[in-house]
Amino acid sequence: MAILSDVATEVLIPLAAVVGIAFSIAQWVLVARVKLAPSPPGASRSKDGYGDSLIEEEEGLNDHNVVAKCAEIQNAITEGATSFLFTEYQYVGVFMSIFAVVIFLFLGSVEGFSTKSHPCTYSKDKECKPALFNALFSTVSFLLGAITSVVSGFLGMKIATYANARTTLEARKGVGKAFITAFRSGSVMGFLLASNGLLVLYIAINLFKMYYGDDWEGLFESITGYGLGGSSMALFGRVGGGIYTKAADVGADLVGKVERNIPEDDPRNPAVIADNVGDNVGDIAGMGSDLFGSYAESSCAALVVASISSFGVNHDLTGMLYPLLVSSMGIIVCLITTLFATDFFEIKAVKEIEPSLKKQLIISTALMTVGIALVSWLALPYKFTIFNFGEQKEVTNWGLFLCVSIGLWAGLIIGYVTEYYTSNAYSPVQDVADACRTGAATNVIFGLALGYKSVIIPIFAIALGIYVSFTIAAMYGIAVAALGMLSTIATGLSIDAYGPISDNAGGIAEMAGMSHRIRERTDALDAAGNTTAAIGKGFAIGSAALVSLALFGAFVSRAGVKVVDVLSPKVIIGLVVGAMLPYWFSAMTMKSVGSAALKMVEEVRRQFNTIPGLMEGTGKPDYANCVKISTDASIKQMIPPGALVMLTPLIVGTLFGVQTLSGVLAGALVSGVQVAISASNTGGAWDNAKKYIEAGASEHARSLGPKGSDCHKAAVIGDTIGDPLKDTSGPSLNILIKLMAVESLVFAPFFATHGGLLFKLF
C-alpha cells in the first residue's frame, strides 16, 4: 500500500493547481505596479524601488512624451495581436466543431451506436460501458482540451502585450528592474498554463468518474481526447502564428536593414508593428498552446497505460494519479525556483542576465529530482505491475523514480546542448559569424552544418532515456519520462515567454525614440532571451519525441497489434511514407512564409517609394496595411499543413489499417525529431551570429562589423533564411509527431474494428 491516502491525493492535486494560479496572479499584481502613465511634475519618488532615478532625468529628456509614446505603441501591438487571434480562433472554432462530430461518429460506430455494455478490451471477464458513451465523453474531453489550449495561448498573449512597454519603462531605472518585470510577466504565463492544464484535467477525470464508476479502462480511454484537443489547437496556433511573425520579420529585415540601411525596429519601417505583433502571436500564444499540448498528451499517455496496469485493475487511485502528483510537485518546485530570480538574488549588471536564466533550469531540475523521489515514495506501493504488450511487468517505486528523473535530466542535457550550438558565447556560432567574411553563401553552408551536427547529442540523450525507462517500466516508463521532462514546465515557459517580452520591449524603446543606453539594456535582455528560447524549443522537441513514443505504445496496445514487424510490406510502406511527412509539412510551412514575406516586402518597398518624407521621418507609414497582409496570409496558409497532419492518421488507419498506421507513426517520429532539432538550431545560430556582429563585444566581432558592413549584410541574409526554420517549421514539427500519435490513439477502437478497407477489398 502507498503511504499517501486517496483522500490526501484528491486534496493535494487541486491545491497545487490553485497555489500556482494564485502565484501567477500575485506576479501579475507586481507587474501592474509599473504605471504606463507619466508621473506628475514634482511628485516625490517612493523608496520601494518603483521610483528610482531615470535616465531621462539625467539626460534632461521629456519624461511625459516618452511614456505616452510607449503606451501608444503598446496599444497598437495589443490590438494587432488580439484581432489576429480572434480571427484565427473563428476559423479554428469551425474546424473544432467539425472534428468533434467526426470523433463522435467514428467512435460511436465501433459497436454500431449500441447503448449496451460490452466486454472490456483488456479484461474480457468484465463488462465495460457502451462504445456510444465512450464516443460522447471522448468528444467532450477533446473540446475541453481545445478550449483550455486556446485560453492558455490567449491569456499568454494578453500578459505579454501588457508587460512589454512596462519592461521598456523599467529599463530606464536599470537592467535589473527591467529583467524582473519581464521575468515576472513570463512566470504569470508559465504558472497559469501549468496550473490550468492540471486543474482542468483533474476536474474532467472526476466528472467522468461519476458516469464510469469502476470502468477505469473506458474512463481513461475517453480522457485521451483532452490531449488531442490541446495539440490540434496548438498546431494551428504554432503554424498560423509562425507564418504571421516570420512574414513580418523577413519583410521588415530585408527592406529595412539590407536595402534601406535603417536599424531594427525603426519606426519608419512600415512592417515594424506587424513584426512586434508576430512575437506575441507566434512565440507566446503558439508556444503556450504547444507546451500545454505536450503536457496534456504525456499525462493522457501515462494514464491510459496505468488504467490497464495494477493501478487501474485494483482501483488504486493514488497510484493511478501518480502522473498528476508529479505535475503538482512540479508547480511547487517551479514556484520556489522563480523566487531565486526575482527575490533572492538581484541582477545588477548585463552579464548576470543569462547565467540567472540558466540557473533557473538547474535549480528547478535539482529540486524536482528530490520532489520526484518524495512523490514516488509516498504515492506508490513498493511493488506493482505495469501493462507491457499483453502481459504484466513487475516494477518497483524507485524504478519509476528513475524513469521520471532520466526524462528530467535528459531535458536539461538537450537544453544545454541547444544552448552551446545557438549562443554566440561559444565557438559554433562564432564560426558561423566568421564565415560571413566571404558572403552569405558560406554563412548558409556553415549554419546548415551546425544544425545537422547539433542533432547528435540530443538524439543520444533521447535514445538513452527511451532504453532505460522502457527496460524498467515498459511504455509507462517512457510516458512518465516525458512527464519528467515537462514537470518543470512552469519555469521553462517563464523563461520562454521572457524572450519575446524583452524583444518587444527593445522594439518599443527604438520606436519611442528612447536613448541609446536604454536600447543597450533591452538588447542585452533580448539576447539572453534568444538563447533561452532556443533551450525551450529543445525541451519541446525532446519531450515531443518521448510523448509520441509513449502514445505510440498506447495506440499499439489499444489497437490489438501484437508486434510491429518491420519486414512486413504493410509496415514498410508506412515507415517510408511517415518519414516523408515532416519534409512535406516543412515544405508547406516554409513556402507559406516565403509567399507571405514576398507580399510584405513588396508592400514595404511600395510605402518607402510612394509615401513622401518616410525615410526622412516626416511621413507616417501605414502600419495597419502590413498587419493586414500578415493576418490574411497566415490564416489562409495555416489550413493546408493543418489538414495534412489531421487527415493523415484518419486516411491511413481507415484505408490501410493499424499495421500501416504504426509504420507511419514510427517513420514520422524518427525523421521528424531530427528535422525539428536541426531546423531550430540552424535558425537560432544564424540569428545569434548576426547579433554577435551587431553587438561587437569582442575584438573578433568588431573585425566583422559594424552594422551595415558586407559581413553584417551576409549575416542578416542568413538570419532571414533561418527565421522560418527556427520559428515556423522547426517548432511545428514537434506538434506533427505528437498530434498524429494522439489522434491514432483516440481513433484506435475504430481502426481496430473497421480499419484497413483497401486490404480487405483486395
Side-chain angles (χ1 to χ4, degrees):
M1 269 299 290
I3 299 170
L4 199 66
S5 71
D6 287 359
V7 175
T9 304
E10 294 202 40
V11 171
L12 288 173
I13 294 172
L15 184 67
V18 170
V19 167
I21 292 168
F23 181 71
S24 68
I25 292 169
Q27 296 290 309
W28 182 76
V29 168
L30 287 170
V31 173
R33 286 174 66 183
V34 181
K35 293 287 175 267
L36 257 187
S39 48
S44 65
R45 296 203 172 272
S46 60
K47 291 285 165 241
D48 59 359
Y50 288 88
D52 300 356
S53 66
L54 308 178
I55 287 180
E56 272 80 358
E57 290 177 357
E58 295 163 27
E59 298 184 352
L61 294 173
N62 187 335
D63 181 31
H64 189 282
N65 286 352
V66 167
V67 180
K69 191 88 174 102
C70 283
E72 184 192 326
I73 297 162
Q74 184 203 34
N75 281 339
I77 294 171
T78 310
E79 274 173 29
T82 309
S83 74
F84 168 73
L85 286 181
F86 271 126
T87 313
E88 180 181 74
Y89 294 155
Q90 281 167 5
Y91 282 83
V92 169
V94 173
F95 154 80
M96 235 163 66
S97 314
I98 295 169
F99 206 74
V101 173
V102 170
I103 292 174
F104 181 71
L105 293 177
F106 271 53
L107 294 182
S109 68
V110 171
E111 301 271 331
F113 296 100
S114 153
T115 50
K116 293 189 180 72
S117 297
H118 62 95
C120 297
T121 311
Y122 301 99
S123 313
K124 298 290 183 196
D125 53 330
K126 288 185 186 165
E127 286 289 302
C128 277
K129 298 289 183 190
L132 185 68
F133 288 98
N134 276 3
L136 182 66
F137 281 102
S138 293
T139 308
V140 171
S141 62
F142 166 75
L143 292 171
L144 262 180
I147 292 163
T148 311
S149 181
V150 162
V151 169
S152 301
F154 188 74
L155 286 177
M157 181 280 296
K158 275 295 187 199
I159 292 153
T161 51
Y162 182 80
N164 50 18
R166 286 170 168 78
T167 305
T168 311
L169 294 177
E170 286 294 272
R172 300 179 303 164
K173 301 172 189 170
V175 75
K177 291 279 190 298
F179 171 80
I180 286 179
T181 302
F183 191 80
R184 278 201 170 124
S185 315
S187 61
V188 176
M189 177 185 175
F191 283 91
L192 211 51
L193 193 138
S195 307
N196 275 348
L198 178 64
L199 194 60
V200 175
L201 180 58
Y202 177 76
I203 291 169
I205 290 170
N206 278 301
L207 290 177
F208 285 20
K209 214 190 306 171
M210 289 176 175
Y211 168 74
Y212 279 100
D214 285 345
D215 175 16
W216 284 17
E217 187 186 300
L219 164 63
F220 289 102
E221 192 175 293
S222 61
I223 283 286
T224 51
Y226 185 69
L228 175 61
S231 248
S232 47
M233 293 309 101
L235 177 71
F236 290 107
R238 257 301 192 196
V239 174
I243 294 168
Y244 185 107
T245 178
K246 289 304 114 181
D249 199 357
V250 171
D253 279 0
L254 280 181
V255 184
K257 284 187 191 169
V258 179
E259 292 179 10
R260 295 281 170 170
N261 241 340
I262 56 175
E264 189 157 5
D265 296 316
D266 191 297
R268 292 171 292 178
N269 194 329
V272 71
I273 293 284
D275 186 8
N276 280 289
V277 168
D279 290 337
N280 293 294
V281 295
D283 293 350
I284 298 264
M287 177 195 62
S289 294
D290 177 6
L291 281 175
F292 165 74
S294 281
Y295 164 73
E297 283 162 337
S298 58
S299 303
C300 292
L303 290 167
V304 167
V305 180
S307 70
I308 50 178
S309 304
S310 63
F311 301 138
V313 176
N314 304 333
H315 293 93
D316 168 10
L317 185 72
T318 302
M320 186 69 220
L321 296 181
Y322 174 72
L324 301 193
L325 284 166
V326 169
S327 302
S328 306
M329 179 58 84
I331 290 173
I332 305 304
V333 163
C334 291
L335 194 152
I336 298 163
T337 309
T338 301
L339 298 177
F340 277 93
T342 56
D343 295 72
F344 298 159
F345 300 108
E346 195 181 341
I347 286 186
K348 293 190 171 64
V350 163
K351 63 176 185 295
E352 294 171 17
I353 300 170
E354 204 166 304
S356 174
L357 289 170
K358 283 193 280 195
K359 269 186 209 140
Q360 287 282 298
L361 292 172
I362 294 174
I363 294 167
S364 62
T365 305
L367 289 176
M368 193 61 204
T369 309
V370 179
I372 295 163
L374 194 65
V375 171
S376 304
W377 175 58
L378 291 173
L380 297 171
Y382 178 67
K383 276 194 173 151
F384 46 90
T385 61
I386 293 294
F387 184 83
N388 179 23
F389 298 118
E391 53 200 50
Q392 296 284 350
K393 179 185 176 83
E394 194 169 86
V395 184
T396 57
N397 55 3
W398 65 264
L400 220 48
F401 157 70
L402 207 60
C403 292
V404 184
S405 301
I406 202 161
L408 180 67
W409 285 92
L412 191 70
I413 291 167
I414 292 170
Y416 269 86
V417 170
T418 307
E419 194 236 349
Y420 173 72
Y421 279 106
T422 56
S423 166
N424 54 29
Y426 305 106
S427 59
V429 170
Q430 291 173 9
D431 290 345
V432 172
D434 196 61
C436 295
R437 290 175 188 278
T438 46
T442 40
N443 177 25
V444 170
I445 292 165
F446 269 70
L448 287 171
L450 177 146
Y452 297 147
K453 195 175 172 188
S454 71
V455 173
I456 301 167
I457 298 172
I459 292 298
F460 277 124
I462 292 169
L464 181 70
I466 290 169
Y467 182 77
V468 174
S469 49
F470 188 86
T471 308
I472 294 171
M475 277 300 171
Y476 187 69
I478 294 172
V480 292
L483 207 66
M485 206 179 269
L486 289 163
S487 59
T488 52
I489 184 174
T491 295
L493 261 172
S494 304
I495 294 172
D496 251 3
Y498 154 88
I501 292 169
S502 304
D503 191 358
N504 259 209
I508 291 172
E510 182 76 45
M511 284 186 270
M514 289 173 134
S515 81
H516 181 60
R517 284 163 67 189
I518 294 178
R519 184 70 218 221
E520 275 177 2
R521 287 172 182 177
T522 54
D523 276 354
L525 293 173
D526 182 23
N530 253 358
T531 303
T532 49
I535 293 175
K537 286 182 188 123
F539 261 98
I541 295 164
S543 62
L546 291 177
V547 169
S548 54
L549 188 60
L551 290 164
F552 175 69
F555 159 71
V556 169
S557 303
R558 181 61 189 85
V561 178
K562 288 283 180 285
V563 64
V564 179
D565 181 5
V566 183
L567 297 176
S568 142
K570 286 181 183 176
V571 176
I572 279 277
I573 57 169
L575 272 173
V576 176
V577 172
M580 173 274 295
L581 287 173
Y583 292 92
W584 188 0
F585 180 82
S586 297
M588 283 177 160
T589 49
M590 296 278 286
K591 192 151 186 278
S592 301
V593 172
S595 57
L598 197 70
K599 288 183 187 137
M600 188 65 78
V601 167
E602 284 169 353
E603 172 60 21
V604 175
R605 276 183 188 152
R606 183 193 69 74
Q607 291 199 27
F608 271 122
N609 292 333
T610 57
I611 296 176
L614 186 53
M615 268 306 279
E616 293 71 35
T618 52
K620 200 170 184 307
D622 180 2
Y623 297 129
N625 217 13
C626 290
V627 170
K628 186 177 183 306
I629 286 175
S630 258
T631 303
D632 293 349
S634 50
I635 296 292
K636 198 166 75 199
Q637 306 274 7
M638 74 179 181
I639 309 289
L644 172 72
V645 179
M646 298 300 290
L647 295 176
T648 299
L650 286 179
I651 293 169
V652 173
T654 308
L655 296 181
F656 299 94
V658 286
Q659 288 281 355
T660 307
L661 182 53
S662 303
V664 168
L665 295 178
L669 167 62
V670 170
S671 86
V673 174
Q674 332 279 342
V675 179
I677 295 174
S678 63
S680 289
N681 290 351
T682 297
W686 277 327
D687 188 5
N688 277 337
K690 174 202 73 176
K691 285 194 165 62
Y692 175 73
I693 294 172
E694 287 176 351
S698 67
E699 194 56 48
H700 175 239
R702 284 192 287 277
S703 72
L704 299 170
K707 285 185 184 180
S709 66
D710 286 346
C711 267
H712 179 246
K713 283 184 175 170
V716 170
I717 290 170
D719 172 38
T720 313
I721 298 169
D723 272 337
L725 284 172
K726 77 173 173 22
D727 288 321
T728 313
S729 296
S732 306
L733 277 173
N734 60 49
I735 304 178
L736 169 129
I737 54 180
K738 292 181 309 193
L739 184 53
M740 284 178 26
V742 74
E743 189 181 330
S744 304
L745 173 59
V746 169
F747 285 100
F750 175 81
F751 297 147
T753 315
H754 302 301
L757 293 178
L758 278 183
F759 291 131
K760 285 175 185 168
L761 288 174
F762 302 109

